[in-house]
Amino acid sequence: MQTAVKTSQEMKYMRESGRMLATVLNLLKQELKVGMSTKDLSLIAANELKSLGGEAAFLGYQGYPDVICISVNNEVVHGIPNPSKIIQEGDIVGLDFGVRYRGMITDSAISVIAGKPKQRGHISLLEDTKKALDIGIAAIHDQVRTGDIGFAIESFLNKKRYGIVRDLVGHGVGHHVHEDPNIPNYGRPNTGPWLDKGMTIAIEPMVTLGTDNVTVAPDGWTILTTDGSWSAHFEHTVLITEEGSEILTQI
Ligand code: MF3
Ligand code: CO
């Protein structure tokens, strides 16, 4: 039976899956250059994952047409790679990838600036979004509640004038890309479902330089900021442990 608390074997497979995922994202970060198309990056990801022995978890998930989501600037998440979408100097590029290995899935994302940043604010946006993820992860331990994690993330980001996207949230992950419970990037302490050691969750703050309103693009997938502001997204899959957590999607 599939349960939210993973067996030690399932955890081992997720560690392996996460290691492959981190390898692919590191490679993409290294290879990303101005003038490439987002489809070029998708092909690199697909080839590298194949040679590592993993399967692309997003391809075909709820009909999603590619192995990776690549979201640029005002695109928050779920951008579809496209050979005619060319990366420009200063673009903020979100790379969100999922790997399945022996049935077990991990999910992780990074945002990177292509070439020279346009504004110092773009560098801080990326740093603060990454920091929000780290702070969310630091709040995790056995018997933490989802509201405790969301509160930690929200309190940090609220010190600056950012939009925290509320329509999309982190989630359980493992047997499926999305499992219960939702892990919002906002919340109040001592609220929401309790999380037990052995559960695996994806934490993924999505942060904008404008408001938190988002809209779905005509392609039915891409999530855009409503006000056109630029955004960043970082995500890790973590295993909850007695004292804290283990990040599965880093090397
Ligand atoms: N990381 C994405 C999320 O949690 C997963 C993308 S699913 C896909 O929303 F269908 F868009 F591939
Ligand atoms: Co996710």
Side-chain angles (χ1 to χ4, degrees):
M1 201 189 71
Q2 297 187 346
T3 57
V5 172
K6 273 63 183 183
T7 66
S8 59
Q9 174 106 99
E10 288 167 343
M11 290 174 197
K12 267 172 59 184
Y13 294 158
M14 286 184 76
R15 276 189 198 100
E16 191 56 27
S17 164
R19 202 187 56 78
M20 291 176 186
L21 204 169
T23 305
V24 171
L25 285 184
N26 286 346
L27 176 68
L28 292 181
K29 185 173 181 175
Q30 215 179 293
E31 293 293 311
L32 189 150
K33 303 275 173 342
V34 169
M36 284 174 101
S37 76
T38 54
K39 188 67 185 180
D40 292 334
L41 290 165
S42 163
L43 294 172
I44 294 171
N47 283 331
E48 181 68 9
L49 182 60
K50 196 171 173 196
S51 76
L52 292 169
E55 298 161 57
F58 294 172
L59 183 64
Y61 176 74
Q62 294 186 354
Y64 186 71
D66 207 288
V67 299
I68 189 169
C69 302
I70 304 185
S71 313
V72 182
N73 301 340
N74 60 313
E75 299 171 349
V76 183
V77 286
H78 302 170
I80 303 170
N82 185 331
S84 58
K85 181 143 187 131
I86 305 300
I87 294 165
Q88 314 285 329
E89 187 88 36
D91 278 356
I92 299 178
V93 183
L95 305 162
D96 185 353
F97 197 45
V99 172
R100 185 187 294 103
Y101 176 70
R102 301 201 176 183
M104 299 309 293
I105 295 169
T106 53
D107 183 7
S108 179
I110 56 171
S111 293
V112 296
I113 297 177
K116 258 193 3 249
K118 284 187 186 301
Q119 300 172 16
R120 198 183 301 184
H122 290 173
I123 303 174
S124 340
L125 171 68
L126 267 60
E127 286 175 353
D128 288 336
T129 307
K130 173 73 170 67
K131 186 127 189 251
L133 171 60
D134 293 341
I135 285 169
I137 292 172
I140 297 171
H141 51 79
D142 188 27
Q143 296 304 305
V144 71
R145 297 180 74 167
T146 57
D148 299 323
I149 301 172
F151 177 73
I153 293 172
E154 182 180 22
S155 315
F156 169 70
L157 290 169
N158 276 348
K159 286 190 231 148
K160 334 247 171 146
R161 267 196 225 84
Y162 288 123
I164 306 173
V165 175
R166 301 170 86 92
D167 289 0
L168 297 130
V169 292
H171 49 91
V173 60
H175 300 289
H176 309 278
V177 176
H178 293 137
E179 297 178 353
D180 287 338
N182 282 347
I183 319 278
N185 297 300
Y186 53 86
R188 283 174 295 117
N190 300 310
T191 62
W194 275 269
L195 302 175
D196 300 321
K197 63 184 175 200
M199 288 182 169
T200 44
I201 57 174
I203 315 272
E204 51 178 318
M206 287 152 271
V207 182
T208 84
L209 288 174
T211 74
D212 59 5
N213 292 313
V214 292
T215 348
V216 186
D219 66 19
W221 279 103
T222 314
I223 306 291
L224 307 163
T225 59
T226 306
D227 61 7
S229 62
W230 287 20
S231 62
H233 175 216
F234 283 84
E235 176 175 21
H236 271 312
T237 295
V238 305
L239 168 67
I240 299 171
T241 62
E242 182 79 42
E243 295 297 327
S245 66
E246 177 186 337
I247 300 176
L248 301 178
T249 43
Q250 78 184 4
I251 310 172

